[in-house]
Amino acid sequence: MSEQPEPTSLLATAKTEGLKVRTRDGDALGSVHSLMIDKRSGQSTYAVISIGGFLGMNKSFYPLPFELIAYDAVEDDYVVTTDRRLLEGGPSWANNPPEFNQAYADRVASYYGVASANLSA
């Protein structure tokens, strides 16, 4: 019998195209792969940042609490407000995304030192 995924309040299918991301020092970092939106509030809770790769291969994906990125209206891109090394050492995946349940949200929040989102449905 297959185990059913734990229901959460996150809508994780909000795909984005062409939203560039840079470091707080102004260096190109990657792009926003998707936004994770709280179904109850409609607020973005995480941005999944895509870094690296060539022609769509060998990319890594990093879930970043939305409070750690800022939108730059002049450059029309997002700026990661934490150190690049911290981001690149954080929770990530390459091929198979993890089940983004409460335990994983707690792990991400703990790593970045922010409050964990309540994902209970």
Side-chain angles (χ1 to χ4, degrees), residues 19-23 27-33 48-62 84 87-88 92-95:
L19 292 177
K20 295 187 181 349
V21 177
R22 60 186 163 91
T23 66
D27 299 327
L29 183 62
S31 62
V32 176
H33 171 70
V48 178
I49 309 297
S50 170
I51 299 175
F54 180 71
L55 297 175
M57 304 204 33
N58 297 322
K59 286 185 179 181
S60 294
F61 302 95
Y62 298 82
R84 179 183 186 138
L87 173 68
E88 290 176 338
S92 65
W93 65 89
N95 296 321

Side-chain angles (χ1 to χ4, degrees), residues 7-44:
T8 71
S9 66
L10 282 182
L11 172 64
T13 59
K15 297 292 181 188
T16 59
E17 295 295 328
L19 292 177
K20 295 187 181 349
V21 177
R22 60 186 163 91
T23 66
R24 61 186 179 188
D25 298 324
D27 299 327
L29 183 62
S31 62
V32 176
H33 171 70
S34 62
L35 298 173
M36 301 181 87
I37 300 168
D38 185 301
K39 291 187 264 187
R40 294 177 300 231
S41 70
Q43 299 294 313
S44 296

Side-chain angles (χ1 to χ4, degrees), residues 85-113:
R85 292 176 301 237
L86 181 68
L87 173 68
E88 290 176 338
S92 65
W93 65 89
N95 296 321
N96 300 314
E99 180 182 336
F100 210 102
N101 56 20
Q102 189 65 55
Y104 193 73
D106 292 345
R107 178 177 165 219
V108 171
S110 174
Y111 178 81
Y112 289 109

